Amino acid sequence: MKDNREGLAMNEFKLSILDLLKEDARLPAATIATMLGAEEASVKAAIEELERDHVIAKYATVVNWSKVDDEKVHALIEVECSPERGRGFESIAERIYLYPEVKSVYLMSGAYDLLVEIEGKNLKEVASFVSSKLSTIESVIATKTFFILKKYKQDGIIFEEADNDGRLLISP
């Protein structure tokens, strides 16, 4: 019984570490240890285990690309496909996520099966990807492409705060 509780405590400990690293991936282990009231060695060991088990897959920076002179085009593509015998949607998703322009692939519930996020240099490149690569996959039945015009919030980060000066509008 004691071992089971220790396992639960360790899982909660790791979840706390993950929550802190999600907010700031640059937090040193010493700071995390102080915030959690734990030993720095325990934090380092937990982080190493999370990395080894691929729970922590990568440390990344969230960039507000609209603030950079970057003309890339981002699109979300709904993909309707028929699952393959024995593997379901796994092999289709794998074929799609191996393309370098694909940023994310999600299995979805609802009207379509997969949601694919891609990035291209321009609209023509995205359209070419859909027509020559994605639509030609044998199991793909239909696609619907949506271009992202502006990102307001990503990964919990608001890119542009609303200008709330608190004054009431007065009109004549």
Side-chain angles (χ1 to χ4, degrees):
M1 189 70 134
K2 184 179 178 186
D3 292 338
N4 189 26
R5 277 185 272 144
E6 286 177 6
L8 276 175
M10 188 56 158
N11 285 337
E12 291 170 13
F13 179 62
K14 288 178 184 176
L15 286 172
S16 296
I17 292 171
L18 290 171
D19 284 337
L20 291 170
L21 288 174
K22 184 176 178 232
E23 288 301 313
D24 184 358
R26 298 183 303 168
L27 278 177
T31 304
I32 293 171
T34 301
M35 294 170 82
L36 297 178
E39 296 292 322
E40 183 178 351
S42 299
V43 171
K44 285 182 178 179
I47 291 172
E48 288 171 5
E49 186 178 334
L50 291 165
E51 290 171 342
R52 185 177 57 251
D53 293 343
H54 298 283
V55 174
I56 297 176
K58 181 179 179 179
Y59 295 93
T61 303
V62 177
V63 178
N64 183 353
W65 287 106
S66 68
K67 300 280 185 181
V68 180
D69 189 22
D70 181 40
E71 299 298 321
K72 292 179 183 168
V73 174
H74 298 264
L76 297 174
I77 306 165
E78 295 177 351
V79 181
E80 185 183 345
C81 47
S82 55
E84 293 182 1
R85 184 178 301 253
R87 292 212 54 211
F89 295 105
E90 299 298 317
S91 62
I92 303 161
E94 183 178 325
R95 287 183 64 189
I96 294 170
Y97 70 61
L98 289 174
Y99 287 111
E101 50 271 82
V102 173
K103 299 302 168 199
S104 304
V105 178
Y106 305 98
L107 179 62
M108 305 296 289
S109 64
Y112 56 96
D113 304 302
L114 300 172
L115 179 66
V116 179
E117 181 181 1
I118 71 163
E119 178 182 276
K121 293 178 187 171
N122 51 45
L123 293 172
K124 186 176 181 179
E125 188 174 273
V126 171
S128 175
F129 171 81
V130 173
S131 64
S132 65
K133 294 178 182 175
L134 188 58
S135 296
T136 60
I137 296 174
E138 190 173 314
S139 299
V140 171
I141 298 168
T143 63
K144 197 183 291 185
T145 304
F146 302 89
F147 291 97
I148 298 173
L149 303 177
K150 181 177 182 177
K151 287 186 183 179
Y152 293 98
K153 184 176 181 178
Q154 178 182 331
D155 295 329
I157 298 167
I158 298 170
F159 287 139
E160 295 183 29
E161 294 290 334
D163 185 22
N164 293 330
D165 63 9
R167 295 181 285 175
L168 296 174
L169 292 175
I170 300 174
S171 57

